[in-house]
Amino acid sequence: MQSENKKIDVRVRRTYRQLIESFLKLLTEKSFDEISISEICEGAEVHRATFYKHFDDKTEFLNFCVKQLLSEVDFSSVLNYPSPENVKESCMSFVKTLFSFIDKNKVLFAAVFSDRHSLSFDTTLINVITDFCAIKLQQVLEGVPDYKSQIFSNFYSGSIVGVVKWYVKNYEVCPLEDIYSFFERRVDEICDAYIKYYLDDMKDKLI
């Protein structure tokens, strides 16, 4: 029974991959709103009934595509820096990995960040970035209250998503190196501000 379920999982994953590849190809040819589910299924050689078995509509499939592709991005090297001394290097590695992924999938993100579809994906990307920021900022000082990491993480993850959305619409005029240079300066400010925030709070408790 277990081997049978495993085979089904493999078939489902293959179906997802075929649908995603068909969808990404179509996005190079036309806008999201012009693409029909029939076209996606035809390119993937998947029956429409199979599509609707897994997705309610095209917008749900769009969000699935992004989550699936984002789950395949290798952040392991970024997350394995062990000490507070490496926080800046780790954060910059994260930014570069993230924007490299965005750059590689520009046609997908152009659809994602259209006025009609951006809200649900904003939440997905913000959650990924917030979780990462919380892990890294927690390393700046031992014993930092978790809620303080969450304050900073949510603030800066929202800012990063804002830059991502802008870059998708302006990538032709903005080299990635300029994005990296901007974030490198911001990471310094984040670490300095975070440490000051924590130390000021501790100082108030000692008075």
Side-chain angles (χ1 to χ4, degrees):
M1 186 71 174
Q2 186 174 1
S3 60
E4 182 180 343
N5 289 335
K6 191 171 184 180
K7 288 180 181 178
I8 293 174
D9 291 340
V10 170
R11 287 201 299 269
V12 170
R13 288 197 296 271
R14 185 184 301 117
T15 297
Y16 286 160
R17 176 53 58 187
Q18 290 170 202
L19 287 169
I20 290 172
E21 289 176 355
S22 173
F23 180 51
L24 293 177
K25 183 177 184 300
L26 287 166
L27 279 173
T28 65
E29 302 167 359
K30 54 180 72 177
S31 71
F32 175 78
D33 291 327
E34 293 173 329
I35 296 172
S36 68
I37 291 174
S38 295
E39 288 176 306
I40 298 172
C41 294
E42 182 179 346
E45 298 183 349
V46 171
H47 199 279
R48 277 172 58 92
T50 301
F51 180 94
Y52 283 111
K53 181 180 178 181
H54 298 279
F55 308 103
D56 290 336
D57 53 35
K58 196 170 60 171
T59 301
E60 183 181 349
F61 176 64
L62 171 66
N63 283 283
F64 170 80
C65 287
V66 176
K67 291 178 183 178
Q68 183 64 31
L69 292 172
L70 196 56
S71 72
E72 296 171 4
V73 180
D74 183 13
F75 287 115
S76 59
S77 61
V78 180
L79 295 172
N80 287 335
Y81 290 100
S83 67
E85 289 76 18
N86 290 319
V87 168
K88 179 179 178 180
E89 183 180 355
S90 183
C91 288
M92 285 308 303
S93 295
F94 177 78
V95 167
K96 291 180 179 181
T97 302
L98 176 65
F99 274 88
S100 177
F101 166 73
I102 299 292
D103 192 59
K104 182 180 178 181
N105 295 281
K106 288 191 289 284
V107 292
L108 177 63
F109 285 96
V112 165
F113 289 130
S114 67
D115 293 337
R116 290 180 56 189
H117 311 293
S118 65
L119 183 58
S120 58
F121 178 69
D122 281 9
T123 303
T124 301
L125 187 58
I126 284 175
N127 287 342
V128 171
I129 297 172
T130 300
D131 290 345
F132 172 80
C133 290
I135 291 171
K136 302 323 295 180
L137 289 175
Q138 191 70 28
Q139 293 180 358
V140 175
L141 285 173
E142 283 188 31
V144 175
D146 181 64
Y147 75 88
K148 293 204 168 189
S149 295
Q150 294 299 326
I151 291 172
F152 269 73
S153 301
N154 280 278
F155 178 79
Y156 284 104
S157 60
S159 301
I160 292 174
V161 170
V163 176
V164 167
K165 292 171 71 173
W166 179 87
Y167 174 71
V168 168
K169 296 178 180 179
N170 296 275
Y171 68 89
E172 293 179 346
V173 298
C174 181
L176 276 178
E177 288 305 318
D178 287 352
I179 297 286
Y180 299 154
S181 176
F182 172 83
F183 273 107
E184 187 167 10
R185 296 179 183 181
R186 301 294 80 77
V187 168
D188 282 335
E189 294 170 0
I190 291 169
C191 291
D192 290 346
Y194 187 56
I195 292 171
K196 183 177 185 300
Y197 177 49
Y198 175 70
L199 292 179
D200 283 351
D201 183 64
M202 292 301 294
K203 182 176 65 176
D204 291 340
K205 290 180 180 180
L206 293 173
I207 295 176

